[in-house]
Amino acid sequence: MRRRLFSMLAAVAVACASVGAAVGGAQASASGAAAKTVATGTGSAAAAETYQWKNVRIDGGGFVPGIIFNQTEKNLIYARTDIGGAYRWEQASKSWTPLLDWVGWDKWGYNGVVSLATDPVETNRVYVAAGMYTNSWDPNNGAILRSADKGETWQATPLPFKLGGNMPGRGMGERLAVDPNRNSVVYLGAPDGNGLWRSTDKGVTWAKVASFPNAGNYAQDPSDPNGYLSHRPGVVWVTFDPTSGTAGNTTQKIYVGVADKANTVYSSSDGGTTWSRVAGQPTGYMAHKGVFDRVSRTLYIATSDTGGPYDGSKGDVWKLNTTTGAWTQISPIPSSSSDNYFGYSGLTIDRQNPGTIMVATQISWWPDVIFFRSTDSGATWTRVWDFTSYPDRSLRYTMDISSSPWLTFGTNPQPPETTPKLGWMTESLEIDPFDGNRMMYGTGATVYGTEDLKKWDTGGKFTIKPMVKGLEETAVLDLISPPTGAPLVSALGDLGGFRHTNLDAVPPMLFTSPVFTSTTSLDYAETNPSIMVRAGNFTDADRPNDSHAAFSTDGGANWFQGTEPGGINEGGTIAAAANGSRFVWAPKGVGVHYSVGYGNTWTPSTGLPTGAVVESDRVNSNRFYGFSGGKFYVSTNGGVSFTATAATGLPAEGNVKFKAVPGREGDIWLTGPANSAGAASGIWRSTNGGASFTKLSGVTDAVNIGFGKSATAGGYQALYTVATIGGVTGVFRSDDTGASWVRINDDKHQYGNAGEAITGDPRVYGRVYLGTNGRGILYADNDGTVPPPDTVPPTKPGTPVASAITSSGATLTWAASTDAVGVSGYDVYREAGATDVKVGSPTSPSFALTGLTADTSYTFYVIARDAAGNSSDASTPVTFKTLAGQVGGGCTATYTVSNSWPGGFQGEVTVKNTGTSATTGWTVKWSFPNGQTITQLWSGTHTQTGAAVTVKNVSWNGVLAPGASTSFGFGASWTGTNGVPSTVTCTAP
C-alpha cells in the first residue's frame, strides 16, 4: 500500500545528535523513566511521570521493503519500513521489536529507512541508512545510524545529502553492505547523483568513492515539479564475493547495482580501488537485487523497467558466472514473452542448498503476485500458482490470516482474484540462511512468512501466515475515545480505520460499507456517542456514486452512507452535533455544508471559507466552530451560517488543531505548531465560545491537544498535548487546565512525527492515545496513579467594586483568585441576616446584578471555587446603595415571545408609564438566560454585552403620558433553549 507523509510540517526544534553522538534507543514497550523535569506554564518545575507505552495492536499496515537476515547468527533478522523505522526479530515471541522510537520531531525523517545492514562478523553491529525524502518535504539530510548492541542504542553520522526511505525505488537494495572479511569497511549506495560512499571505521566517518564511475541516471519522471518522481535512486545495492578475501583483510571482489538501464552492474577486483562496468551484462532494465552465491561464485540479478515499488511491467532474471564472465538469462518468464507484464525483484538463495533460488514479480497487481522457485540454479522453474481452467487457479500454498483477519480488506473479489492476496510490492523475499523451510516476505500491508517452504518441492502445500506481530506501521489521521462503547476508534491512512474493542488484540476488520482508502476525520455525538461520522478518500473513478462521508448509529460497528455535495474528491473534516441530530462537513476543496439527519441532503453553509477545519461544541447541539487563516468562526444555528469572532493573535499558518471540551459549552482549546512562516505557535484557550482566546505561557510548537478523564471526581478534564514546554519537546499531561504540565514520554519514546491525532480516555484517568505517522497508534497508562487530592483552596478574591449603579442593578468586578489546580468559578452572595443568599455563579471575575430595589443599601461578597471543589475564604464585602426612583415617574416593561422557529424567534416588549407625570425617556434592561443574541431591533436602540441587554427609546416614543404605553420588537437567535428573562426592568426620569 502506498505510504506518504500526512503532516509535512516544519519539525519542532529540539537538541539533535551531533556527528558520532549517542542518540539512544529502546523497546517501545519499555517504561518511560521519570528522568527529566520540565518548565510548566507558570514557570515552575514538575517531574516527569513514568508511563507504560505500547501499541494498540493492528499488526502491520504498511510497506515493508526490506527483510534482512544476518548470515552468521541464527534468528538475527531485521526489517526496514519506508516511514515507520526499523525492527529486530524476537525468536522467542515471534514478534518484532521497534528500534527507532527514540527519533523525535527534530529528525522525524530518520523513520524512513532506505537500507539496513547487519554485520556478519560482529553480529551485534547493525547499520541504518535513514532519511525519508530527498525533496523539500524533509528538512534534514540523511544519516547513517550505527549500533553495537543490535539496535538498543544508536550513534548517528549525518550525511551531506538526503536519503529517500519513502521515495521511488526504495525497495531496491540493499544499499548498505558490510565487508564480510573486514567489517570495519561499510559501503553505502547514494541517490540523486551522490554515487558510492565508503566508511573504513565501522560507520563513524564516510567519504565518497571518487573512482566509482556511475551515479545512476534513471528517474521515473525527470520533470516532476514536486521533486518526488524526479528522484534518482542512484546506486542501489552492494554485494561481496566473500571468497575473494580472508578474515581481517579487505574483500577484493565487490559488485554494485546502479539505476541505469544501460549500465546496471559494476564491479571492483581490487577492494574498491578501481571500478568498471561488468562486461556482457544485459541492458534495457535495472537490477533491483544482486545476490551472490559463494559456493558457485555466481551473481544473480533481478531486473525491472522501473524503480518501483508501485509499477514495473517488464524485466528479467540473469546469472553471472564470475569465474568465466558468462551471463545467462534464467527468467522464469522472459521479458520477450507476452506473458511477462511485470518486473522481477525479491531475489533470494537457499544458503543451505545454493542451487535453490526464488524470485518474485516486483509488481503484479492482477490477479496476484507470482513467486518462482528453482532447485537447479534457474534452469527450470515452478510457480507458486498456475492457471488451470481460467479463471481457476491451482495453488501450492494455503493462507492462514487468523491472526490478522482484516487482511481480506473486507473484499469479495471474483476469480481469478482471491482474498487475501498473496502479496504486492514484493521487493523483499528472503529464505532463512539457516533454515530452508523458513521464508519471509514484505508486502504493502504486512510481513508474510512460512515455516514449511520445502513442501513446495514435494508436491505438498506450504502454509503462509502473517509474521508481523509487533511491527506497527500505520499512519494515524484521527482518533476518538467515546465515553461508551469501544474505547477507541481510529482513522488511518491507507487502511481506513478500525473499531478497537480490545487494545491488545488485532481488530477483526477495518471499516467497510463504505471502505475508505484513508479516513481523514472522525467524530461522535458527545451526548449520544453511539452516533458517529467519518469522512475519507478513495479513488473516485472506481466508485463514482459513493459518498466520502459515512455514518454509524452503533458506535462504529456498522456504517452506512448518505449523499454528498457535488465536486468532492477528498474527505476533509467532519463534525457531529452534540446530540447527533446534524452534521457539518468541510470537504477538501469544496465549501462547507451541513446536514440535518444522516446526510440524505446537504445544504451549503455561509460565512466559513473553503478549506476550513470544523468541530462541534460538545454541549450545545446547534453550536459549531470553524478555523481558517488565523480566524475563528462560530455557528449558533447548527451550521447554517458562521460568523468570524473578534479573536486575535491566533496562528495564521500551519496545521492548526482545535477541540471543544466535553461537558463545558464554549470551552475550546487550540494548538499551533512550529511553521516555516514563523507564525505564532503554542496553545490557546477560549471559555466564551471562541469570542476571545488566551495564550498559555511557556508553551510553543504545540502539535495537537486532547482531553481525558479528570484526576478528581467532577474536576476539569485532563489535557494531553504534543508540544514544546519549558524548552522540552514531548507528550505532556495537565490536570489543572494548563497551569502546569508533566511530561509522560521520555527520550526513548518519541515516535518521530507524532501527534496528528491525540486523545485521552474519558473512562480511564491517565490513559492517552497517540497517533503517529508510520508507527501506528500508541497508548500509555500511568498505572492508574492519581495525584494526591487537592485540598488547597483558591486564594481569596479581591474586594468587589460596584459600578454602573442604577435604581435596580449594578455590576460587580473583583481581582481574580489563583489556584494550583485552576479556578473553576465564583459564587456571589448577598448578605441577608442569618442566611446569606447566593445570587449568581459566574466563571469570570465579574457579575451583573439585576432586580434590586431603588434607594436601598446592599452588601455583597465573593467566594472562589477550584476544579477539586475547594472554596476560598470570602472576599472583603462591598456595600453600596441603589439610586432613588424619580418622583412622579416610573415605568414597567412586559416581555413576550411573539413567534419562534428552530434557531430563531421574535420578541416584543411593552413599556408603560406607571408614574404621575410624563416621561422624557425610558431604559429597559434584562439578561438572557440561555445565550440568546439579538440580531435586529426596531422602535428602540439597543446594546448587548454577553447576556445583558439594554434598550433605550428612540426620539418619537420616549415621551409617554401617565398610563400610556409603547412597544418595541426584536429578532434573535437561540440554541437549545429559549427561556424568558427572569427580570425585566424599566427606568424613566
Side-chain angles (χ1 to χ4, degrees), residues 321-637:
N321 184 323
T322 62
T323 302
T324 66
W327 285 91
T328 304
Q329 187 187 69
I330 58 171
S331 306
I333 303 175
S335 60
S336 58
S337 170
S338 60
D339 290 332
N340 180 287
Y341 55 93
F342 42 75
Y344 290 98
S345 191
L347 180 66
T348 186
I349 297 175
D350 185 342
R351 300 289 179 176
Q352 301 297 308
N353 298 280
T356 296
I357 62 176
M358 291 182 67
V359 70
T361 53
Q362 181 263 320
I363 195 71
S364 175
W365 292 105
W366 185 94
D368 212 337
V369 67
I370 311 171
F371 298 152
F372 301 91
R373 182 173 171 89
S374 173
T375 56
D376 53 14
S377 302
T380 61
W381 298 86
T382 54
R383 294 167 49 127
V384 74
W385 59 263
D386 291 282
F387 279 112
T388 53
S389 176
Y390 186 86
D392 297 328
R393 292 188 289 153
S394 63
L395 310 179
R396 296 183 186 271
Y397 64 93
T398 59
M399 295 195 76
D400 176 3
I401 61 165
S402 56
S403 65
S404 299
W406 61 264
L407 284 167
T408 66
F409 290 89
T411 61
N412 185 27
Q414 297 299 308
E417 292 188 283
T418 61
T419 187
K421 292 177 75 72
L422 181 61
W424 60 96
M425 297 161 60
T426 48
E427 295 274 20
S428 184
L429 182 151
E430 302 292 336
I431 298 173
D432 187 334
F434 296 91
D435 181 1
N437 258 319
R438 179 159 70 173
M439 174 189 72
M440 292 182 181
Y441 66 95
T443 75
T446 193
V447 175
Y448 279 124
T450 182
E451 294 180 325
D452 56 358
L453 177 61
K454 291 182 180 180
K455 287 183 178 179
W456 183 322
D457 303 324
T458 59
K461 286 191 175 185
F462 63 97
T463 301
I464 295 174
K465 298 181 179 181
M467 290 185 175
V468 72
K469 182 181 178 182
L471 194 158
E472 298 285 348
E473 205 196 345
T474 52
V476 188
L477 303 185
D478 205 356
L479 295 170
I480 57 174
S481 181
T484 60
L488 184 70
V489 183
S490 62
L492 306 178
D494 292 346
L495 295 185
F498 295 89
R499 180 175 183 262
H500 304 270
T501 58
N502 182 342
L503 304 177
D504 300 315
V506 177
M509 189 49 60
L510 42 72
F511 295 149
T512 60
S513 300
V515 172
F516 292 158
T517 304
S518 296
T519 297
T520 57
S521 182
L522 269 175
D523 198 12
Y524 67 93
E526 187 66 46
T527 61
N528 192 2
S530 61
I531 296 176
M532 293 183 178
V533 64
R534 59 184 168 99
N537 306 339
F538 53 81
T539 303
D540 293 73
D542 296 341
R543 295 155 53 182
N545 297 318
D546 274 3
S547 174
H548 292 73
F551 305 89
S552 175
T553 57
D554 58 7
N558 297 281
W559 296 85
F560 58 91
Q561 294 171 278
T563 63
E564 72 174 17
I568 295 178
N569 294 311
E570 296 188 43
T573 58
I574 198 163
N579 63 3
S581 61
R582 58 175 59 216
F583 303 88
V584 174
W585 188 9
K588 185 175 181 180
V590 177
V592 179
H593 287 67
Y594 71 93
S595 176
V596 179
Y598 299 109
N600 293 325
T601 60
W602 292 92
T603 304
S605 302
T606 61
L608 191 59
T610 298
V613 176
V614 295
E615 297 282 356
S616 64
D617 192 85
R618 312 312 286 181
V619 177
N620 189 328
S621 298
N622 279 316
R623 197 170 183 89
F624 288 83
Y625 306 108
F627 183 87
S628 178
K631 292 184 177 181
F632 199 82
Y633 297 80
V634 178
S635 172
T636 58
N637 53 13

Side-chain angles (χ1 to χ4, degrees), residues 742-821:
V742 58
R743 189 183 182 193
I744 60 176
N745 74 322
D746 57 40
D747 289 347
K748 294 181 179 180
H749 302 86
Q750 299 195 73
Y751 307 112
N753 184 355
E756 179 68 14
I758 190 171
T759 184
D761 191 308
R763 290 171 270 186
V764 181
Y765 167 70
R767 176 171 292 176
V768 63
Y769 302 99
L770 176 67
T772 72
N773 186 55
R775 266 289 285 122
I777 309 167
L778 282 302
Y779 80 100
D781 289 309
N782 66 344
D783 299 322
T785 303
V786 177
D790 173 30
T791 59
V792 179
T795 60
K796 178 180 173 180
T799 303
V801 174
S803 61
I805 301 172
T806 67
S807 60
S808 60
T811 297
L812 299 180
T813 56
W814 57 92
S817 298
T818 60
D819 186 76
V821 173

